[in-house]
Amino acid sequence: MRSLLPFLPCLLAACLQESGINEKPQEPDFDEGDTAVPPIEDTDTAPPPDTGETAEPPPNCDDQYFAPQNVPQLEECFSAAPEVGTFTPEVLWDVQTFSYNGSSVSCMMQPIVCPLTDDDGDGDADDQDIADVVIITYSPGVLRALSGTDGTELWGTAGSGGIQITGGAACGDLDGDGSVEVIAATSTGVDVFDRDGNSVWSSTACSGGMDGTSDAPGIADMDHDGDPEVIIGSCILDKDGNRLGKGSYGWGSSSNVGSGSFAVDIDQDGELEVVAGNAIYDVNGNALWSNGQSDGYPAVGNFDADDFGEIVVTGDASMRIQDDDGTVLCTAAIPAASGSYGGPPTVADFDGDGEAEVGVAANSTYTVFETDCSVLWQYTGTTDPSSGNTGSSVFDFEGDGIADVVYADEHWVWVFDGRDGAVKMQDTYHSNNTWLEYPTIADINGDGSADIAVCNTPGSWGSYNGVTVFQDADQSWRPGRRIWNQHGYSITNVEEDGSIPQYQETNWLSYNNFRSGDLTPGEGYSGPDLYTEIRDICVDECELGNVTVWYTVGNQGYNDVEDDVLVEIWGETATGPQLLTTTTWTADIIQGIQTASESIELTGIPTPLYDIWVTIDGGDNASSGIVDECYEDNNVDEWGAFVCP
């Protein structure tokens, strides 16, 4: 069950909540002053004694009945049954030898996919052309471009001579000419090349603001002026290589190796920030906050009810989730990461429950965490003893609503079922010594079906070099984009033609994933949506300490709920909110139905009793609930009126 922030009931009658399907009426249906009772059958025909005054009937809360009814179902809780493809991976192509500087053949970075060639002859290299693959091989460090069609070598360059041999690359249109530039990390900054491999500029202005060994550059238009910035570690360069600023705290790196910062609008203020592990920076490198935690590899997602992003940080055998202001929300040890570190995190809806989770690789495990840092599932048996530092990606290959995990260790290329970690692929056509790399998922050969690209180095597990691309033998995998332009990839950070958005859409408000290629999150998942409604309250027995509540429960979603669910009745008393009673709803809660009413008699109530509310399945945010719902914030209904003096 997902864990979210605990339910905080509204403390004042003025804070009326919605019931989940209809706004609560301004006035309750029940007349609180009504003391009428049905006539009492009496065989004695003698008139009652004349006392000179009318006798008051004793207090009585007669039982009431509210019939079940149909309710509108929420369209957003429904996903049509998907077209499920096959999962029969095979090698599409691989390249292990190169013509330019043929001694440099090992690749220990995440492959980059972007358009470099004009395949359709219209004069542009854009999203209408077949994608190409960019890698860095060593030694020495050589930046290479390969045709997405068959791996043919397009060009290679050693740049200024300082390309990081285990570093990263990125691509995007920096100068607005309609063609992408390719960025390669160097030991002190970046080299930039045009799509034909010609040098554009080289900058050494970022020394000290990056790791210098395995850095992954990123691109974003942070100031929305139409000219993208280059981000590497805590250093920000303009499109011409001039340094705009450098942060003085973290740069998105663990104590092991490499950095992986990127830019997003974490606090939804309209400006992009550079996200490191323990700080965020503006375009000039000024820290907007630093939280005193250790640095680490970041990712972002939305794990609560607000529109702001949360930051996931991994490294040094631990994982934590931070709020948009740096507050640490939860922490966890990365299982089986003893003696290693834990790689860059991945955010996706792994299990198809409509909520995002976090995936992290370590030296012998892959673990998926819930948003409270508890473990959803873990696979033990991966092999990455040299670093335990690699990342992963996710993609719903078959269209079944499940984000499959793609991960490459020293020996195997793995695909895990996102629901439970079941192994769907364990391919030995791979070897690597591993750093920060992870497999890239894109439509590389332009056939309308996603492919997987992974780098290789020879080692104790094999002698593979260069890069391997896998496809589905039936070409039935769902379509992927023709671009994956940087290590910190989040779909909305780049257009498919390689242009960089002047105003970057917030990923977690649409896709809510990171290092994922899924364009239709949640497809294939239909879920329930529970709510409760107070139908009436009888206050005639307040003097006896009794109140009767009639309530119903309903399901606005598209799956029946067969589990027993907890119902709680709370009251607002002179000393604050108080739990008055609990019960368990044991009958099935059918989709599209609001049930017949149930009554609960509360005895010994505290007075004065200012208000009453009913919760189902843990209430709003459902930290203690058991049902995965489309919405977790509509499980409370408040009476909204004074109850007993």
Side-chain angles (χ1 to χ4, degrees), residues 24 533-537 549-550 612-614 637-639:
K24 187 68 186 173
E533 182 179 12
I534 300 174
R535 299 305 305 271
D536 213 341
I537 291 179
V549 177
W550 288 269
I612 280 179
W613 58 91
V614 179
D637 191 35
E638 184 179 9
W639 182 241

Side-chain angles (χ1 to χ4, degrees), residues 297-435:
Y297 307 121
V300 291
N302 191 11
F303 305 126
D304 58 22
D306 64 37
D307 288 342
F308 304 147
E310 283 73 54
I311 302 169
V312 185
V313 183
T314 56
D316 300 319
S318 68
M319 185 275 289
R320 67 178 183 268
I321 298 178
Q322 303 171 161
D323 213 344
D324 60 282
D325 62 357
T327 301
V328 176
L329 301 177
C330 65
T331 62
I334 298 175
S338 176
S340 68
Y341 298 90
T346 298
V347 175
D349 180 7
F350 286 82
D351 56 4
D353 67 351
E355 301 291 338
E357 292 87 29
V358 179
V360 185
N363 60 342
S364 62
T365 61
Y366 191 90
T367 307
V368 174
F369 295 92
E370 296 277 17
T371 56
D372 63 351
C373 296
S374 63
V375 173
L376 173 63
W377 60 260
Q378 178 188 94
Y379 181 85
T380 301
T382 59
T383 302
D384 190 19
S386 63
S387 71
N389 217 58
T390 45
S392 63
S393 52
V394 294
F395 192 77
D396 181 4
F397 291 98
E398 299 151 284
D400 59 1
I402 304 302
D404 296 318
V405 180
V406 188
Y407 167 61
D409 62 15
E410 293 186 15
H411 186 200
W412 296 289
V413 179
W414 300 87
V415 176
F416 301 116
D417 189 308
R419 291 168 295 191
D420 54 14
V423 176
K424 301 179 68 170
M425 171 178 167
Q426 185 180 358
D427 198 287
T428 59
Y429 201 90
H430 170 70
S431 59
N432 208 312
N433 291 326
T434 73
W435 278 122

Side-chain angles (χ1 to χ4, degrees), residues 17-18 30-31 49 71 160 267 325 339 400 405 419 462 477 526 535 550 578 625:
Q17 301 182 10
E18 294 185 354
F30 187 83
D31 183 357
V71 295
S160 62
D267 54 5
D325 62 357
D400 59 1
V405 180
R419 291 168 295 191
W477 289 346
S526 294
R535 299 305 305 271
W550 288 269
Q578 181 175 326

Side-chain angles (χ1 to χ4, degrees), residues 37 57 85 93 395 454 490 572 631:
V37 296
W93 55 259
F395 192 77
V454 61
S490 60
E572 180 66 26
Y631 294 101

Side-chain angles (χ1 to χ4, degrees), residues 71 78 119 237 255 274 470 504 552 590 608:
V71 295
F78 175 75
D119 299 304
L237 303 172
S255 63
V274 172
F470 297 90
Q504 179 175 305
T552 61
I590 307 301

Side-chain angles (χ1 to χ4, degrees), residues 9 46 48 75 77 83 87-88 120 128 136 159 165 170 218 231 288 315 326 367 385 444 555 562:
E75 291 184 5
C77 294
E83 294 291 332
F87 194 83
T88 52
D120 60 7
Q128 302 303 308
I136 296 172
I165 62 174
I231 301 119
L288 302 179
T367 307
I444 293 173
N555 182 355
E562 299 176 353

